[in-house]
């Protein structure tokens, strides 16, 4: 399942200068010139060796809602002339879009999205494209590093309280795309069909306090009566050792799990595992949460942890809240054009890309080449085309993957990286990118 409910127009999720450029281009006649715009990242965030494309499906859904009705035109009328307003009234993107599949790995300079059409119909999409791709790609890229660090253990996204309320479902989706197993965000459950997860917070335990003291056992008993023996009890509101003892006393050795949300998680996980085993609760899982990121998850890999709950670091991209993608005009009426500004250069011309891999599946190089040029020779490697048709004549194609397919693509992509490409330490991109002229 990867659908969204009917949403309001996305046309004003944009910057004003896109519409003022449109007005000028309509005035001088250049609006109809055939153009190619490309979205790409000049570099990966510091320390990263790969990125994961996220947000493509959300972008395609948002593109379908990019319409100027009367409320949107009323805003634009404050600064646009009547001719431009009439053009916007009838706007429908009718061009073509090729792109990397959602869930595909990318590297510096990868032409992640190629948008072709008239200047007018392409230029107005810049902010919509970048806002979705930059956000979701940042989250998916951070999440993939966390999933890899977890080594197959269950991962729960729980960052809704640490990001904008409208960004929370998108963050949950991007995390699930990258391999997380569940989310605490119910809007993401409803909108995208992601499995939900959640039990209780410290407030529920504290609720069962009274003049005669804290009644942790009463809180646990209530939760079990409501949610069943398979629930996970939060045991660190007061004393962890006592909390574990109380949890098993109330629930018995078949308790589903206990959660630790504070302290030295590695030490505590070992202590709690020993205590649970001694109490006969050998199958009770240990869930840890509390300011986790890929580094702390990796540090806990040798500990008896069964699941991780990740919030703040995930929804903020673990230090890289944007993927740094840009949207640049690279071709006008078949002529390559390029920006030459210092440190902000672009490469002209519509491009394609292939990724080379050994017979074992390990990728070794990405080659970006002119779309009108000769296909690169694989030289004994396996070559795979990276851009697929996402939109043709304004209509979304069947090549756009579902969320389930994108999850599979991320998983296979991580397996295909050279081993050094999975390191969390700073270094060069996992594979080189070669640009052919």
């Amino acid at each position: 399942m990867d659908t969204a409910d009917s949403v309001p127009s996305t046309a004003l999720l944009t910057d004003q200068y896109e519409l003022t450029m449109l007005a000028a281009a309509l005035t001088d006649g250049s609006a109809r010139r055939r153009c190619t715009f490309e979205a790409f990242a000049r570099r990966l965030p510091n320390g990263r060796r790969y990125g994961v494309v996220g947000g493509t499906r959300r972008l395609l859904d948002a593109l379908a809602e990019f319409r100027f009705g009367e409320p949107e035109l009323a805003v634009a009328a404050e600064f646009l002339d009547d001719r431009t307003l009439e053009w916007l009234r009838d706007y429908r993107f009718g061009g073509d879009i090729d792109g990397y599949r959602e869930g595909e790995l990318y590297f510096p300079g990868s032409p992640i999205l190629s948008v072709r059409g008239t200047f007018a119909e392409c230029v107005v999409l810049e902010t919509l494209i970048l806002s979705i791709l930059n956000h979701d790609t940042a989250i998916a890229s951070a999440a993939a590093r966390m999933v890899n660090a977890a080594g197959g253990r269950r991962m729960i996204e729980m960052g809704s309280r640490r990001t904008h309320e409208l960004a929370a479902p998108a963050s949950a989706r991007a995390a699930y795309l990258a391999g997380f197993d569940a989310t605490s965000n119910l809007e993401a459950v409803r909108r995208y069909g992601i499995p939900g997860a959640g039990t209780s917070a410290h407030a529920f335990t504290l609720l069962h306090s009274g003049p005669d003291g804290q009644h942790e056992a009463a809180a646990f008993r209530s939760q079990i009566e409501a949610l069943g023996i398979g629930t996970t009890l939060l045991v660190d509101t007061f004393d962890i050792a006592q909390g574990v003892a109380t949890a098993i006393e109330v629930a018995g050795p078949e308790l589903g799990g206990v959660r630790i949300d504070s302290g030295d998680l590695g030490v505590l996980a070992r202590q709690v595992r020993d205590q649970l085993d001694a109490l006969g609760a050998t199958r009770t899982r240990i869930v840890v949460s509390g300011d986790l990121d890929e580094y702390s998850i990796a540090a806990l890999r040798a500990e008896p942890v069964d699941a991780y709950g990740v919030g703040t670091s995930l929804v903020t991209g673990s230090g890289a809240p944007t993927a740094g993608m840009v949207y640049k005009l690279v071709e006008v009426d078949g002529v390559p054009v390029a920006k030459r500004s210092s440190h902000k250069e672009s490469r002209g011309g519509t491009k394609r890309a292939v990724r080379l891999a050994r017979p074992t599946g390990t990728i070794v190089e990405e080659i970006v080449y002119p779309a009108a040029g000769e296909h690169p020779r694989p030289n004994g490697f396996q070559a795979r085309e990276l851009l697929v048709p996402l939109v043709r004549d304004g209509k979304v194609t069947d090549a756009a993957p579902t969320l389930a397919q994108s999850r599979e693509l991320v998983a296979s992509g991580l397996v295909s990286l050279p081993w050094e490409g999975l390191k969390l330490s700073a270094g060069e991109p996992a594979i080189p990118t070669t640009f052919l002229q």
Side-chain angles (χ1 to χ4, degrees), residues 247-308:
I248 301 305
E249 179 183 348
V250 170
E254 298 304 314
L255 175 64
V258 295
R259 179 161 73 95
I260 310 169
D261 190 49
S262 58
D264 188 327
L265 296 177
V267 172
L268 292 173
R270 291 195 300 273
Q271 293 175 348
V272 169
R273 183 74 271 159
D274 289 344
Q275 185 179 5
L276 288 170
D277 291 347
L279 293 170
T282 56
R283 293 188 294 180
T284 298
R285 298 178 301 276
I286 297 176
V287 182
V288 298
S289 57
D291 296 325
L292 295 175
D293 60 14
E294 61 266 49
Y295 301 102
S296 55
I297 291 170
L300 290 167
R301 192 163 181 172
E303 308 299 347
V305 174
D306 298 291
Y308 302 92

Side-chain angles (χ1 to χ4, degrees), residues 327-409:
Y327 182 77
K328 298 301 177 186
L329 179 62
V330 297
E331 188 170 296
V332 178
D333 289 336
V335 178
V337 295
K339 183 177 178 180
R340 300 303 181 196
S341 305
S342 178
H343 303 296
K344 290 189 175 183
E345 300 88 351
S346 60
R347 294 179 173 86
T350 304
K351 304 170 194 67
R352 305 290 298 175
V354 297
R355 192 166 291 158
L356 304 183
R358 302 182 190 280
T360 59
T362 301
I363 57 176
V364 296
E365 183 182 16
E366 185 162 311
I367 301 176
V368 179
Y369 65 99
E374 183 179 350
H375 190 281
R377 296 180 180 179
N379 296 322
F381 293 108
Q382 298 174 348
R384 181 169 66 90
E385 282 282 348
L386 294 171
L387 285 100
V388 300
L390 299 174
V391 175
R392 286 292 179 268
D393 298 325
K395 296 181 174 58
V396 177
T397 72
D398 293 336
T402 65
L403 183 54
Q405 291 170 333
S406 294
R407 276 172 61 84
E408 294 174 0
L409 188 57

Side-chain angles (χ1 to χ4, degrees), residues 147-164:
V147 167
N148 183 68
R153 296 172 183 178
R154 181 172 169 81
M155 300 288 287
I156 305 167
E157 184 279 320
M158 46 197 302
S160 296
R161 292 168 293 172
R162 299 294 186 265
T163 189
H164 190 281

Side-chain angles (χ1 to χ4, degrees), residues 71-155:
E72 292 75 37
L73 291 170
V75 175
E78 296 294 324
F79 58 90
L80 290 179
D81 59 275
D82 290 343
R83 177 174 59 179
T84 305
L85 292 172
E86 285 307 305
W87 189 92
L88 290 173
R89 189 186 305 276
D90 297 328
Y91 177 80
R92 300 289 186 275
F93 179 74
D96 298 336
I97 300 178
D98 290 345
Y100 284 35
R101 294 177 179 88
E102 187 168 31
E104 188 73 77
L105 301 180
Y106 76 92
F107 301 94
S110 295
I112 293 167
L113 208 68
S114 176
V115 182
R116 301 183 300 281
T118 66
F119 176 81
E121 66 183 334
C122 296
V123 73
V124 297
L125 299 177
E126 176 184 6
T127 300
L128 185 71
I129 288 171
L130 291 181
S131 61
I132 293 175
L133 291 185
N134 269 316
H135 175 270
D136 287 26
T137 296
I139 307 303
S141 298
R145 285 160 56 89
M146 295 174 187
V147 167
N148 183 68
R153 296 172 183 178
R154 181 172 169 81
M155 300 288 287

